[in-house]
């Protein structure tokens, strides 16, 4: 009788231990692996050429230092900035600028034209090691950019005789004016693609019911999946879209004006 009682008591105690078995500890979110990032400089090129310049000076009236020149810009839309720039360059040639029609010569601005031309095609510069070449193969190999053609023409007329003593014209497109590649940055970065799934798994395993289940069953946390991600191109320098290209036009006209004025032969 005593033996049976002891056996029953032992079974009850064992059953009680099973009923009060401790749940598994809270599962921690695993530490993410180290993630690498590398930044690359990339460039796109297009053929460029020098400004096209034509200048003819006639010998009938030699132009000398100290001669006076008046400006005529009735045929064009001349900004104060460009006017001041032209005056500065004429002064540097030794000529004196006067108002009205009182000068020895009249410099007439015939053309200050800006027009959109055919879009320019820029080609990706492909070079570097195998890793870089792999990255470059994933981005556009060509880029199409807006192009503006600027043209400036001038004429110098002898005031008394009305003889044309010099005339010139120059033009350049925006790609040739900037004469530099379009430069961008791009990065290759490792990212964890299943981070949210791992966090959700850990959260689901930390419920009271799941912890009790894990006390007798081993559960493995899913491994992080790492993949390479290529960033979009980030512009560093160079004009391509309509706004960027249009911003070059004032300086393009300055450059052409200087090229022409430099052609005037002053004794």
């Amino acid at each position: 009788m005593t033996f049976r009682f002891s056996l029953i008591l032992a079974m009850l105690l064992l059953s009680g231990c099973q009923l009060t078995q401790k749940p598994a500890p809270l599962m921690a979110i695993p530490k993410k692996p180290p993630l690498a990032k590398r930044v690359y400089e990339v460039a796109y090129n297009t053929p460029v050429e020098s400004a096209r310049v034509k200048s003819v000076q006639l010998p009938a009236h030699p132009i000398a230092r100290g001669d006076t020149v008046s400006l005529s810009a009735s045929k064009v839309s001349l900004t104060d900035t460009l006017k001041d720039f032209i005056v500065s360059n004429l002064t540097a040639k030794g000529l004196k600028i006067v108002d009205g029609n009182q000068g020895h010569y009249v410099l007439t601005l015939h053309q200050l034209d800006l027009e959109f031309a055919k879009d320019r095609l820029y080609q990706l510069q492909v070079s570097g090691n195998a890793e870089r070449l792999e990255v470059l193969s994933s981005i556009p190999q060509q880029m199409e950019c807006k192009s503006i053609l600027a043209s400036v023409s001038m004429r110098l007329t002898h005031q008394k005789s009305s003889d044309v003593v010099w005339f010139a014209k120059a033009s350049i497109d925006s790609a040739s004016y900037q004469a530099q590649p379009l430069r961008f940055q791009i990065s290759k970065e490792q990212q964890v693609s299943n981070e949210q799934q791992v966090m959700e798994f850990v959260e689901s395993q930390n419920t009271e019911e799941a912890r009790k289940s894990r006390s007798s069953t081993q559960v493995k946390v899913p491994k992080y999946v790492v993949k390479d991600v290529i960033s979009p191109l980030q512009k560093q320098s160079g004009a391509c879209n309509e706004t960027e290209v249009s911003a070059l036009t004032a300086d393009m006209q300055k450059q052409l004006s200087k090229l022409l004025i430099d052609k005037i032969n002053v004794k």
Side-chain angles (χ1 to χ4, degrees):
M1 185 72 175
T2 304
F3 175 76
R4 285 186 64 190
F5 178 78
S6 298
L7 181 61
I8 293 170
L9 180 61
M11 291 178 64
L12 288 173
L13 289 173
L14 179 62
S15 175
C17 289
Q18 290 176 342
L19 290 173
T20 60
Q21 187 175 9
K22 289 185 178 180
L26 291 172
M27 182 180 289
I29 296 175
K31 185 179 179 181
K32 287 191 293 185
L35 303 174
K37 179 178 180 180
R38 188 163 185 182
V39 178
Y40 298 87
E41 302 286 339
V42 298
Y44 291 80
N45 258 341
T46 191
V48 297
E49 57 185 23
S50 301
R52 296 174 289 278
V53 181
K54 179 180 180 180
S55 174
V56 177
Q57 187 161 341
L58 304 175
H61 302 277
I63 305 170
R65 294 180 64 85
D67 282 349
T68 54
V69 178
S70 59
L71 297 181
S72 175
S74 58
K75 297 182 179 182
V76 297
S77 178
L78 180 64
T79 65
D80 290 339
T81 301
L82 183 56
K83 178 182 177 181
D84 292 342
F85 182 80
I86 290 173
V87 168
S88 176
N89 280 268
L90 289 171
T91 302
K93 297 284 291 187
L95 302 172
K96 296 180 179 179
I97 310 304
V98 294
D99 295 329
N101 296 318
Q102 305 303 314
H104 295 103
Y105 298 93
V106 177
L107 181 69
T108 303
L109 299 175
H110 274 278
Q111 185 182 26
L112 288 175
D113 289 348
L114 297 168
E115 58 180 337
F116 279 100
K118 183 179 179 181
D119 289 353
R120 294 294 295 266
L121 197 62
Y122 283 75
Q123 189 75 32
L124 177 66
Q125 294 180 2
V126 180
S127 62
N129 58 26
E131 183 182 1
R132 176 181 171 85
L133 293 177
E134 182 182 358
V135 172
L136 294 183
S137 68
S138 67
I139 63 176
Q141 303 298 292
Q142 294 180 330
M143 190 167 296
E144 201 169 88
C145 295
K146 292 297 182 182
S147 177
I148 291 181
L149 179 66
S151 301
V152 175
S153 66
M154 301 178 182
R155 183 179 69 188
L156 197 62
T157 305
H158 187 250
Q159 185 78 275
K160 287 186 178 179
S161 65
S162 297
D163 292 337
V164 175
V165 297
W166 171 80
F167 58 90
K169 181 177 180 178
S171 62
I172 194 170
D173 65 85
S174 51
S176 295
Y177 170 74
Q178 54 180 338
Q180 63 179 4
L182 303 175
R183 299 192 181 278
F184 297 83
Q185 275 191 352
I186 189 171
S187 65
K188 177 182 177 181
E189 183 177 5
Q190 290 182 320
Q191 294 182 359
V192 175
S193 61
N194 65 333
E195 182 176 2
Q196 184 63 33
Q197 290 88 335
V198 171
M199 293 179 65
E200 289 175 355
F201 177 85
V202 171
E203 184 178 350
S204 69
Q205 291 298 318
N206 282 336
T207 63
E208 185 177 351
E209 183 178 350
R211 289 175 65 194
K212 289 179 180 179
S213 176
R214 282 196 290 113
S215 67
S216 58
T217 306
Q218 188 175 5
V219 175
K220 289 185 178 180
V221 182
K223 291 184 177 180
Y224 285 118
V225 177
V226 178
K227 65 177 184 178
D228 290 332
V229 177
I230 306 297
S231 71
L233 290 168
Q234 296 181 341
K235 172 75 76 63
Q236 301 299 304
S237 65
C240 183
N241 62 40
E242 184 173 330
T243 300
E244 293 168 341
V245 170
S246 297
L248 300 174
T249 55
D251 286 337
M252 290 168 66
Q253 289 181 330
K254 285 183 178 181
Q255 184 194 59
L256 295 178
S257 298
K258 186 177 189 318
L259 286 173
L260 294 185
I261 293 172
D262 285 346
K263 294 290 184 181
I264 301 175
N265 184 18
V266 178
K267 301 293 187 180

